[in-house]
Amino acid sequence: MITYDYAPQLLFNFLAQDDGFNLIRKTVEPKMSLQSAMEGLTPIKKSNLKAITLRQVQLDSEMREKIAQISFRDYQRNHLANPVAKIPLAEWDNMVFADQLEDAPLALVSMNQIEAYCFSFEDNPKELTLGWMGAGDLSRLMELQQILLLWANKNFQVLAGEFDSTDQLSMKTYQQYAFELCPVYETYLKRL
């Protein structure tokens, strides 16, 4: 059984905690001007990594499957307290790529290996939203996000995201930028 609300919690959730509900996740959905995010960037060091877009991934079924597998594994790992429903990889693939911006940098690759990925969406006009992300090394994710912001600077005005406390890379991204203050969404769970 799950209950959630914005902090500070309503009386119901305080009572739920007394009844055995445990905090499993905090989520924030902050925004900031894209220009402000750009001001904090440091120049990208030259690397042998290549940024690829969804449009390019759609032409390479093997790469698409790799990104789907890695992102699904990461998503499952970040939701251990409230496990993800068992769904086929094909269903996850359809879901995860559904609203991704086709021309936005999606992944950094080296010799056909994925070093980092960051899904991005336009939930509102002129608003770039960072979604699911992953990397073996935080610096690779930061490099990809910088490439993504440089790309977005032409067509977007706002940077937004959804960041969960259960996802370490997501929280590092949240801390990387000077996002505006926003409500904290708390999720509580009790196993029955």
Side-chain angles (χ1 to χ4, degrees):
M1 189 175 198
I2 294 178
T3 181
Y4 47 88
D5 201 351
Y6 288 106
Q9 294 288 306
L10 298 173
L11 179 60
F12 173 79
N13 284 346
F14 284 121
L15 295 173
Q17 290 173 62
D18 289 340
D19 191 35
F21 281 79
N22 296 308
L23 178 66
I24 62 167
R25 178 175 44 251
K26 292 183 179 186
T27 304
V28 291
E29 296 177 346
K31 296 181 181 188
M32 68 183 297
S33 79
L34 185 58
Q35 188 60 41
S36 295
M38 298 291 294
E39 291 169 5
L41 297 180
T42 55
I44 298 174
K45 295 177 184 176
K46 294 283 183 186
S47 75
N48 62 342
L49 301 178
K50 177 184 174 188
I52 58 173
T53 65
L54 176 59
R55 189 178 308 277
Q56 293 167 308
V57 167
Q58 288 173 329
L59 299 174
D60 184 344
S61 59
E62 182 182 329
M63 182 60 68
R64 182 177 173 126
E65 185 175 340
K66 282 182 183 180
I67 293 173
Q69 288 174 341
I70 291 169
S71 63
F72 191 47
R73 182 194 68 221
D74 290 345
Y75 188 77
Q76 288 172 318
R77 188 184 70 243
N78 291 319
H79 291 82
L80 294 176
N82 182 21
V84 178
K86 292 183 181 186
I87 61 172
L89 184 60
E91 189 175 328
W92 173 260
D93 179 283
N94 288 334
M95 186 175 66
V96 78
F97 290 111
D99 296 322
Q100 163 69 30
L101 295 168
E102 282 195 337
D103 296 317
L106 169 61
L108 277 183
V109 296
S110 173
M111 297 173 57
N112 213 28
Q113 295 301 312
I114 300 160
E115 299 291 329
Y117 67 89
C118 184
F119 289 92
S120 58
F121 310 90
E122 186 176 13
D123 289 333
N124 296 306
K126 301 288 184 184
E127 184 175 292
L128 176 71
T129 301
L130 301 179
W132 295 301
M133 59 191 73
D137 182 327
L138 177 61
S139 66
R140 297 298 190 209
L141 179 60
M142 293 297 124
E143 182 179 344
L144 174 59
Q145 288 176 353
Q146 186 169 3
I147 293 168
L148 177 58
L149 294 185
L150 291 168
W151 170 85
N153 196 37
K154 301 172 203 152
N155 298 310
F156 294 86
Q157 297 171 348
V158 175
L159 176 63
E162 180 177 326
F163 306 108
D164 288 330
S165 61
T166 58
D167 183 341
Q168 190 176 35
L169 291 175
S170 175
M171 292 309 294
K172 292 285 186 188
T173 296
Y174 174 56
Q175 295 161 358
Q176 175 74 19
Y177 302 100
F179 284 105
E180 298 166 3
L181 292 176
C182 66
V184 177
Y185 205 62
E186 294 180 332
T187 304
Y188 288 86
L189 172 92
K190 180 179 180 179
R191 299 203 182 281
L192 301 175

